[in-house]
Amino acid sequence: MPNSVKFPSSCLADNVEHEGNLAQKPLSALSWPRPSQVKLVVHKLSAGFPSPAADYAEDELDLNEYLIRNKPATFLFTVKGDSMIEAGILSADKVVVDRSLIAQHRDIVVAVVGGDYTLKFFHRQAGVIQLHSANPRYPPICFSQDDELQLWGVVVGVVRRLKSGV
Amino acid sequence: MLGPQFALVDVNNFYVSCERVFQPRLQCVPMVVLSNNDGCAVARSNEVKALGVKMGTPWFKMQDLAREHGILAFSSNYTLYADMSNRVVSVLRAFSPDLEVYSIDESFLRVDRVAHLHGGACAMGQCMRERVALWTGLPVCVGVGPTKTLAKLANHLAKKNAVFNGVCDLNDMTRAERVEWMSKIAVSEVWGVGRRLTQRLDLLGIHTVLDLRRANPMDIRTHFGVVLERTCQELRGVSCLSLEAMAPAKKQIIASRSFGGAIENKAQLLEALSSHVARAAEKLREQKSLCAALQVFLQTNRFKPNEPQYNPAVLVPLMEPTDDTLKLTRAASSALTQIFKMGYRYKKTGVMFCGLTQASQRQESLFESNLEKDRSTRLMGTVDRINQHFGSGTIQSAACGVSQKAWQMRSNNRSSRYTTCWMELPVVS
């Protein structure tokens, strides 16, 4: 305790016994300055029964934990447009992208086409690579072996806030 | 393997590489990242290096070259760089439990006890390179050697010579090969050998790394002192420097910045100064120190010699060591009043905290009650937590000002904070 009151050793009884040896008379306890502050020691005492659930308490649910497997490799993007609408990804959604995963057939990926990011289904069948939208209005993009397709990462989650929640 | 082995992992053209991760179009475009206030080039892409642009070249001097070659310039985006740096470090931590973050783009790792898991240090280096590239999109080079100084040298080799494919392990070379490489590298490339030392070494006939390695360490000690002797020993493979897992607490903390434009009035100077104090005090509390005195300084623009020059500084002792932003701001404000003079166009102000002591060793005070101290500790703790949670500057002392700040840094072409700000995420369509 920072404010516990300490008496000078000269006030203690065993020093008084040696009074004869001291050049100065010991101070009496009363003459010692009173402490400027007095603090209450506050302890929480639980009255009544301990909670029967205490032993079963667990951490709160954490959305990061649910959505992110590999933190240093995970990035978020904002979706714009309707090309993945039939896969349930809408404009303004946030997608969770993991760079550490190798894209498998039918994964949703973020790819770089013509210097722009695009969100598509990754198709690889019989050595042919295609990027498919989830919207019949957009035709698939085909890649011959020579074209270099740059995959930025694999989409592992979608996050959307609804109006009422904002 | 006998003795320690160190790896130095370093991100190539770090700031430029961070920008390119999020803007694929920039991949082969010549570009630079500029220092605070868009002054000088602090990072250059390989294309720009090939044009002969040196580190620290002022942007205004590159205008003609920039127009001719289409060089793009970006303001520095430290929020992004810090986040990417943390990601690289967490990828590397999985490789070795002994890691020292040496700078924003360099880390030392002890690899002797773990390299066998990957089939040797060189294979481990390639594995680190691949994983950092895949997970973060950043290119790194790895240098391995029996001392930190040699690891740094190996990293230099890996970066400059394509034969190494980004990873250079000095142990994989024959003695003759090592001698050959060391005779080709200027002594100025050695870790800790700056420009002044290089000039003095030159006079003694020490021009290359090999020359310094072959010098007698005792002679080096008499001429240059123990620090360079240690470097000399390290070049010979005697490890003198160990990893510093925890950065030692700083003995001084400085916060200062040039203004976007010149400032003449005291109120604006005080705003700038107060936010420097707040930033420095945050660092002070982070390292759990108290500050016993602070120095405040003002500077006019020394690059404009035709304007009147005035560069005062004053040291103000505090009644007792503190880490309280409000008390420090009050002290800084009174210091400013002491040195401020009308009629000058100021370019920079700053504050330096001196006489730092550990907060745990705080002396009981004669003049301040413990109640007051507790209150201050709780208030500062709360402010720090709020600012950590909601972004820096969410809560600040009113002295920092609330209006549009004329003194703030110029950063006209900063990219988005792609990884830390909901409004600035990259867009995919």
Side-chain angles (χ1 to χ4, degrees), chain B residues 168-187:
Chain B
C168 170
D169 181 358
L170 290 179
N171 303 291
D172 278 358
M173 295 181 186
T174 64
R175 203 187 147 76
E177 282 174 324
R178 270 199 299 271
V179 167
E180 167 88 22
W181 281 114
M182 284 187 182
S183 69
K184 282 185 188 159
I185 304 174
V187 73

Side-chain angles (χ1 to χ4, degrees), chain A residues 72 74 78 80 99 116-117 119, chain B residues 22 25 87 134 426 428-429:
Chain A
T74 302
T78 296
K80 196 179 144 194
R99 283 186 58 97
D116 289 320
Y117 292 120
L119 191 65
Chain B
F22 296 96
R25 278 176 195 280
R87 288 171 186 262
L134 181 67
V428 59
S429 52

Side-chain angles (χ1 to χ4, degrees), chain B residues 383-394:
Chain B
V383 167
D384 287 345
R385 276 197 302 279
I386 289 174
N387 285 337
Q388 248 164 39
H389 197 261
F390 296 102
S392 72
T394 303

Side-chain angles (χ1 to χ4, degrees), chain A residues 10-87:
Chain A
S10 57
C11 298
L12 301 179
D14 59 353
N15 274 351
V16 178
E17 282 172 20
H18 300 101
E19 196 176 345
N21 301 331
L22 297 171
Q24 190 190 338
K25 269 200 159 187
L27 297 165
S28 81
L30 263 179
S31 73
W32 190 251
R34 294 166 62 94
S36 58
Q37 294 161 25
V38 178
K39 268 201 177 170
L40 290 177
V41 180
V42 184
H43 259 296
K44 279 187 184 163
L45 296 175
S46 48
F49 296 100
S51 162
D55 289 346
Y56 300 92
E58 290 182 1
D59 285 343
E60 290 168 28
L61 294 178
D62 180 358
L63 278 176
N64 287 313
E65 187 198 348
Y66 181 69
L67 291 163
I68 298 174
R69 278 294 105 77
N70 186 350
K71 199 170 160 220
T74 302
F75 298 83
L76 293 173
F77 281 68
T78 296
V79 178
K80 196 179 144 194
D82 57 358
S83 74
M84 294 302 280
I85 200 157
E86 290 182 1

